Amino acid sequence: EELMNSRSAKLLGARKRLEELSNNFDVRKMAARTDVGDTKEDYYILCGWMGEADVAALLEESKDDDRVFIVVEEDREKFFGDPPTKLKNPGMFRPFEMFVEMYGLPAYNEMDPTIFIALTYTFMFGVMFGDVGQGICLVVGGFLLYRFKKMNLAAIIAVAGIWSTFFGFMYGSIFGFEDRIEPVWMRPLENIMTTLMLAIGFGMGLILIAMVINIINAIRAREPGRMLFDQSGIAGIICYGCVVLCIVLYATGHPLPATGIIGAAVGIPLVAILLKEPLSNLLERHREVFPAGSKAMFFVEALVELFDVVLSYATNSISFVRVGAFALSHAGMMGVVFTLAGYESGSPNMVVVVLGNILVAGLEGLVVGIQVLRLEYYEMFSRFYKGTGKPFVAAFKKKKLGGE
């Protein structure tokens, strides 16, 4: 002990020096080594990506060090390829990055859809699973799991439970009981057609928003052909938007525009979608306007693809009917539970009611969660999102640089 105490300063100094050498060695493994002229000095060249804030900090820290040279490459994509992606969202939205990563990270110049999926996913979950009591259970259970286990899925469940509770009050449903509280809005089972039609209308609105995001992504990616002539570009939004407008006008009892106006508003964009490839090549000044091969075969393929586009507009819209269908099925499933519990007799079996609530909440919650994710991926992400980005992984932290 006396020997250690008498050498403590040297031992601590040696330990610090060994840490510096070890850390610098970790950096050197990622660097290229070179000799500079006749000075016989070794230099290590590091090349990689950094965040803009980190670059500014590094430049400031090394400005007085004549042994450190930093070059910030402006034409980065030309030399190093596409930059990696580092998701950066407010704390409450970070758990939803899990859904984005499952589909694929956004490219560097692509909009991060995390906030979009967070808002739409939890909202649709609440519409399909509206129940005050079961919603509160989801909030409490999800919060506790996230608090102690740090599970992102638990945080998503907790936020979805908030919307479930909200729509439970809107539907007047608490633990499946439809006669305990008055609905703020309506009871789905008493307004079946209204529920289903509103679900389709809501889906049409989300598809239009997805098209707007696709146009923004096309502008950021500098793809004018995709922006103008894609089925989810300006041509698509005019065509689909005109159809949606006509449906709304018809449903609300307003007169429709003249047939010629409707035909032009729908037909001209469809022709632009049909000729997307040659029009894009012409706009981007490619040498070949039409793709190689027979022009007749091109038009045959383009017509088949156009038919698929028109069909997808209809099927994607109708697909949102499941949002309303699950709002109806929740009340229907709980009705079965109450029938089995003998609720109509006036003295229901509460054990059956409790077990039925647990079964319905677990089963329907799982199915609704999967169905909403399916709507996100297939009906919306497929219209505006590629997910071809690569993750930004820090090779080492700034703290490790030191000593040399």
Side-chain angles (χ1 to χ4, degrees):
E1 185 178 355
E2 290 176 359
L3 181 63
M4 293 288 290
N5 289 333
S6 65
R7 302 288 193 276
S8 60
K10 290 184 178 180
L11 288 172
L12 291 173
R15 178 179 180 275
K16 180 176 177 59
R17 180 58 177 162
L18 286 172
E19 283 183 344
E20 291 175 348
L21 291 173
S22 176
N23 292 335
N24 285 332
F25 180 74
D26 291 340
V27 175
R28 289 181 181 183
K29 289 189 296 185
M30 304 172 191
R33 178 182 174 186
T34 183
D35 296 326
V36 180
D38 298 329
T39 61
K40 303 299 182 182
E41 291 184 334
D42 291 337
Y43 278 83
Y44 295 86
I45 303 172
L46 288 167
C47 179
W49 298 97
M50 293 180 69
E52 292 183 354
D54 293 330
V55 170
L58 184 60
L59 289 172
E60 179 64 26
E61 292 173 7
S62 60
K63 65 181 181 181
D64 297 325
D65 192 335
D66 58 1
R67 293 172 58 84
V68 176
F69 304 93
I70 299 176
V71 177
V72 180
E73 182 58 61
E74 296 295 338
D75 197 7
R76 53 199 179 193
E77 289 85 355
K78 178 180 179 181
F79 296 100
F80 308 115
D82 295 328
T85 300
K86 182 179 180 181
L87 298 179
K88 188 176 181 181
N89 292 288
M92 65 179 297
F93 295 111
R94 283 176 195 155
F96 294 90
E97 292 176 356
M98 178 184 73
F99 287 157
V100 176
E101 292 169 355
M102 285 169 57
Y103 195 94
L105 286 173
Y108 183 74
N109 55 2
E110 193 172 22
M111 182 181 293
D112 179 3
T114 300
I115 295 178
F116 175 80
I117 194 173
L119 297 175
T120 55
Y121 182 92
T122 55
F123 183 86
M124 284 192 289
F125 187 99
V127 173
M128 298 163 73
F129 191 75
D131 188 287
V132 175
Q134 295 175 10
I136 292 175
C137 291
L138 291 179
V139 174
V140 175
F143 174 78
L144 292 176
L145 281 174
Y146 182 72
R147 177 69 176 81
F148 295 106
K149 298 294 184 179
K150 301 301 180 184
M151 297 170 56
N152 287 332
L153 184 59
I156 294 172
I157 291 173
V159 179
I162 294 174
W163 282 109
S164 295
T165 306
F166 172 79
F167 278 99
F169 283 112
M170 299 297 285
Y171 300 156
S173 175
I174 177 169
F175 287 117
F177 292 97
E178 301 280 337
D179 55 356
R180 301 301 173 88
I181 59 176
E182 287 296 319
V184 177
W185 182 28
M186 68 174 184
R187 299 192 191 277
L189 277 180
E190 297 175 1
N191 301 272
I192 295 177
M193 287 306 299
T194 301
T195 302
L196 297 179
M197 292 300 102
L198 286 176
I200 295 176
F202 172 73
M204 289 177 172
L206 284 184
I207 291 174
L208 288 171
I209 293 174
M211 290 181 176
V212 172
I213 298 175
N214 178 66
I215 294 171
I216 295 172
N217 280 336
I219 294 173
R220 296 175 68 170
R222 298 178 183 177
E223 298 178 359
R226 172 186 165 194
M227 177 190 70
L228 292 172
F229 311 121
D230 189 76
Q231 68 182 72
S232 297
I234 292 177
I237 203 170
I238 292 174
C239 175
Y240 185 76
C242 180
V243 173
V244 172
L245 178 61
C246 290
I247 293 174
V248 172
L249 290 175
Y250 178 79
T252 55
H254 292 82
L256 296 177
T259 304
I261 297 176
I262 297 176
V266 174
I268 294 176
L270 286 178
V271 172
I273 295 172
L274 173 71
L275 301 174
K276 173 188 173 183
E277 192 168 355
L279 289 174
S280 298
N281 292 336
L282 186 65
L283 182 65
E284 297 169 9
R285 299 181 180 179
H286 291 178
R287 181 175 299 178
E288 297 292 335
V289 175
F290 283 90
S294 170
K295 291 183 179 179
M297 184 58 64
F298 163 77
F299 279 105
V300 170
E301 293 177 356
L303 285 170
V304 173
E305 291 176 359
L306 183 64
F307 176 77
D308 181 66
V309 168
V310 174
L311 189 63
S312 71
Y313 284 152
T315 56
N316 291 161
S317 303
I318 297 173
S319 184
F320 280 91
V321 76
R322 71 190 67 203
V323 176
F326 274 97
L328 298 170
S329 71
H330 177 75
M333 292 175 69
M334 289 308 303
V336 173
V337 171
F338 290 133
T339 300
L340 294 175
Y343 183 73
E344 294 181 355
S345 65
S347 56
N349 188 330
M350 294 309 298
V351 175
V352 175
V353 173
V354 172
L355 292 177
N357 267 275
I358 295 173
L359 177 64
V360 170
L363 179 61
E364 190 178 1
L366 177 64
V367 174
V368 166
I370 294 172
Q371 290 297 324
V372 177
L373 193 61
R374 182 231 178 254
L375 288 172
E376 294 284 350
Y377 284 166
Y378 289 96
E379 316 305 342
M380 289 179 281
F381 270 41
S382 61
R383 292 195 172 276
F384 70 86
Y385 189 62
K386 294 182 178 179
T388 56
K390 54 185 178 181
F392 174 81
V393 180
F396 53 86
K397 295 183 180 180
K398 183 176 63 174
K399 293 179 181 179
K400 291 186 177 182
L401 292 175
E404 291 189 353

